[in-house]
Amino acid sequence: MAFYYDKPSHTFSEYLLVPGYSDHTCIPSNVSLKTPLVKFKEGEEPSISLNIPMVSAIMQSVSGDKMGIALAKEGGVAFIFGSQSIESQANMVLKVKNHKAGFVVSDSNLTPDSTLEDVLKLKEKTGHSTMPVTIDGKHNSKLLGLVTSRDYRISRLDKNTKVSEFMTPFSKLIYANVKDSLSTCNDLIWEHKLNTLPVVDNNENLCYLVFRKDYDSHKDNPNELLDSEKRFIVGAGINTRDYKERVPALIAAGVDVLCIDSSEGFSEWQALTISWIKSNYGDKVKVGAGNVVDKEGFEFLADSGADFIKVGIGGGSICITRETKGIGRGQATSVIEVAKARDEYFKKHKVYIPICSDGGIVYDYHITLALAMGADFVMLGRYFSRFEESPTNKLMINGTFVKEYWGEGSNRARNWQRYDLGGATKLSFEEGVDSYVPYAGYLKDNVESTLAKIKSTMCNCGALSISELQQKAKLTLVSATSIVEGGAHDVIVKDKSGTSN
């Protein structure tokens, strides 16, 4: 006979936090949002921690290299989507790692025989006005000069004029050696009043560019998440089909953490994938797994060797798994049960395995609820898809800017590996939709606003850290009437122009 749960599962919107005592130290500036990303033994520190409890979803419409750089600047991690060729995904990882928090690999390069017309076309394509001139137009070849917008005037030069005639030659450039630190490079920039500093090796081959604007950016991003070589930390999604080819390529590109991207993680396929990775690379390569919604699923992936475990099935805004297959569970209930299982596992084995709440986040306060219920961090798709840095097109529809957003289980993504049950190599039916989300601007501004809300709520609960929040939080289920009461009601709300609606 089938097993029946005696209580219904619940979503985040059915809960509220009850305020607790807060003393004079409970102010947002004192709150730390640092949280473990991967498992660690009792008494030890995790090899990778997040400075904010937010990672971006493994989705074509969310996590590309631009998202990887932008999110790492704020202290989180992007997981580059895996539903693309191995070479393409590895290149995205490489772009994030090569950004090197100040050291940028040039993607706008010219040869001496390139023309002004080539310069203008390249500028339009990349948006970059600074272009190194190398002997063969490659980013790592002998540097011959530099072209910036100050080197030419379109009205004065024929578009067929060769770059060699108006570039600033290498002999007149101020440059640094590849062995110089970022601090040394920034000193040269300020000393010589430069906007761009080329970095070359002993043979004058171009290695990087350092920009004045990135110095300011670094100062504006104190939470930057960096590895031991001062490069941005980045993750990548993998599947249970081609991992033997994909994982080595991603590791060669410098990926810091992997995650199996699957709609359902309680399967032998995930155990086999983790086992192969650990057998070939040991604990040096970190890999998350999921998704699960109960104790049994957590324990299975924990025993399989997962470094973190994702929680949630069917709760994403573009996911129709529950509607299509009748599989899933309320996100709040899932997080609560799996968090309890994680704590029991830690008590028994002295190994703490972080859990990630994936899906079901509609409002910013849902993130705080997920953390209070036991999640160590959250994975967000719709939230990040709205930003300038997501890989999708920005369109205007009915007078409003929107960005495209589609699920990995949609026909557009055709990510059949994510829903693979060992059968045919095709997408049999859709488990995601194709949609639009309102354009919200740049990641930094939005994340700062979200974090301010989280910190303020934590102070209301008397907590200055995520672990303290989980110990002190008091949560209550609310009725349907209470949910209505929680929003604006019984008033005529003014619109943004100041008129009522």
Side-chain angles (χ1 to χ4, degrees):
M1 181 176 177
F3 175 82
Y4 290 86
Y5 289 91
D6 58 1
K7 295 180 180 179
S9 63
H10 298 284
T11 64
F12 291 132
S13 289
E14 295 177 78
Y15 282 92
L16 286 175
L17 282 158
V18 176
Y21 171 74
S22 56
D23 60 27
H24 71 282
T25 65
C26 283
I27 56 176
S29 60
N30 287 339
V31 174
S32 169
L33 294 177
K34 189 171 184 177
T35 189
L37 176 63
V38 296
K39 69 182 179 185
F40 58 95
K41 294 179 180 178
E42 184 178 25
E44 298 181 357
E45 290 293 319
S47 58
I48 307 175
S49 291
L50 299 165
N51 289 329
I52 63 171
M54 302 168 74
V55 302
S56 65
I58 310 168
M59 300 175 68
Q60 293 175 5
S61 55
V62 178
S63 298
D65 51 279
K66 289 182 180 178
M67 183 62 68
I69 293 168
L71 188 48
K73 283 183 178 180
E74 300 307 314
V77 166
F79 283 86
I80 306 298
F81 69 92
S83 51
Q84 59 179 317
S85 72
I86 295 173
E87 182 182 13
S88 177
Q89 188 185 22
N91 283 337
M92 283 190 177
V93 169
L94 194 60
K95 284 182 180 179
V96 179
K97 300 306 293 186
N98 282 341
H99 195 83
K100 208 175 180 181
F103 290 92
V104 180
V105 174
S106 175
D107 62 358
S108 301
N109 306 294
L110 303 163
T111 69
D113 292 329
S114 298
T115 63
L116 177 59
E117 185 173 9
D118 295 325
V119 172
L120 299 177
K121 287 180 179 179
L122 192 56
K123 182 178 180 181
E124 183 178 0
K125 177 182 177 182
T126 65
H128 300 153
S129 57
T130 299
M131 304 175 190
V133 182
T134 62
I135 195 166
D136 57 5
K138 295 181 179 179
H139 68 83
N140 55 357
S141 300
K142 187 177 179 65
L143 182 64
L144 302 180
L146 206 62
V147 171
T148 71
S149 57
R150 293 180 298 180
D151 289 311
Y152 60 87
R153 289 178 65 181
I154 300 174
S155 61
R156 298 289 181 89
L157 278 179
D158 186 283
K159 288 188 178 181
N160 291 318
T161 305
K162 290 186 177 182
V163 163
S164 57
E165 296 181 33
F166 60 85
M167 70 181 185
T168 301
F170 182 80
S171 60
K172 293 185 179 181
L173 291 176
I174 303 297
Y175 56 89
N177 188 273
V178 70
K179 295 181 180 179
D180 291 333
S181 66
L182 182 59
S183 177
T184 299
C185 293
N186 284 323
D187 288 342
L188 286 171
I189 286 175
W190 285 96
E191 180 183 348
H192 296 279
K193 300 180 179 179
L194 305 173
N195 289 322
T196 308
L197 179 75
V199 179
V200 300
D201 63 18
N202 293 334
N203 295 317
E204 299 179 359
N205 293 314
L206 178 65
C207 298
Y208 304 107
L209 297 175
V210 177
F211 296 95
R212 174 188 288 263
K213 63 180 177 63
D214 285 342
Y215 173 84
D216 297 329
S217 172
H218 180 68
K219 294 299 180 183
D220 290 339
N221 296 289
N223 284 328
E224 282 183 331
L225 197 62
L226 308 174
D227 64 17
S228 59
E229 298 179 39
K230 304 297 183 183
R231 301 177 302 174
F232 288 132
I233 288 179
V234 65
I238 60 173
N239 61 68
T240 57
R241 282 276 184 166
D242 65 7
Y243 58 89
K244 293 182 181 179
E245 294 77 38
R246 191 173 293 270
V247 170
L250 293 171
I251 292 172
V255 74
D256 297 281
V257 57
L258 303 169
C259 185
I260 302 173
D261 181 29
S262 173
S263 65
E264 211 285 287
F266 196 177
S267 75
E268 185 180 10
W269 303 110
Q270 294 221 0
L272 292 171
T273 303
I274 297 169
S275 176
W276 184 88
I277 292 172
K278 296 300 182 180
S279 295
N280 285 274
Y281 298 99
D283 284 333
K284 292 182 179 179
V285 175
K286 306 300 180 182
V287 55
N291 287 19
V292 298
V293 293
D294 59 12
K295 176 180 179 180
E296 288 78 13
F298 172 86
E299 290 181 340
F300 172 79
L301 291 178
D303 292 339
S304 297
D307 289 294
F308 68 86
I309 294 171
K310 289 202 297 164
V311 181
I313 294 176
S317 60
I318 40 66
C319 182
I320 55 172
T321 294
R322 297 179 190 175
E323 179 182 329
T324 305
K325 297 168 62 176
I327 290 287
R329 198 180 195 190
Q331 188 66 11
T333 300
S334 300
V335 171
I336 291 168
E337 180 173 326
V338 174
K340 183 179 179 181
R342 181 224 27 228
D343 293 343
E344 291 173 352
Y345 190 93
F346 177 61
K347 187 175 181 179
K348 180 179 180 180
H349 300 281
K350 308 302 180 184
V351 175
Y352 187 92
I353 304 175
I355 62 171
C356 167
S357 177
D358 178 19
I361 302 293
V362 180
Y363 305 108
D364 287 349
Y365 82 89
H366 286 173
I367 299 175
T368 317
L369 285 172
L371 298 174
M373 291 171 179
D376 296 281
F377 56 98
V378 297
M379 178 171 278
L380 303 163
R382 182 194 61 83
Y383 178 91
F384 286 116
S385 70
R386 304 171 300 145
F387 302 151
E388 181 70 30
E389 294 86 354
S390 71
T392 62
N393 295 317
K394 181 171 69 172
L395 309 170
M396 179 170 283
I397 296 180
N398 297 327
T400 301
F401 280 114
V402 298
K403 294 210 77 175
E404 297 176 299
Y405 180 45
W406 60 90
E408 288 297 294
S410 68
N411 194 53
R412 180 171 182 172
R414 304 197 66 79
N415 186 9
W416 62 267
Q417 296 98 329
R418 190 175 198 272
Y419 302 86
D420 179 31
L421 295 176
T425 58
K426 65 179 181 178
L427 190 67
S428 300
F429 53 87
E430 291 185 284
E431 293 189 45
V433 300
D434 200 338
S435 64
Y436 300 111
V437 289
Y439 174 69
Y442 287 88
L443 179 146
K444 181 177 178 64
D445 298 331
N446 286 276
V447 167
E448 286 181 349
S449 176
T450 297
L451 296 179
K453 296 174 187 176
I454 294 171
K455 290 181 178 181
S456 179
T457 305
M458 288 172 64
C459 288
N460 292 143
C461 297
L464 295 177
S465 67
I466 292 173
S467 60
E468 190 176 11
L469 174 67
Q470 292 166 351
Q471 294 166 10
K472 292 184 174 181
K474 295 182 290 183
L475 295 117
T476 181
L477 277 167
V478 294
S479 67
T481 305
S482 295
I483 294 173
V484 173
E485 180 186 62
H489 59 91
D490 301 310
V491 295
I492 300 173
V493 181
K494 296 179 180 179
D495 64 19
K496 291 181 180 179
S497 64
T499 59
S500 60
N501 57 14

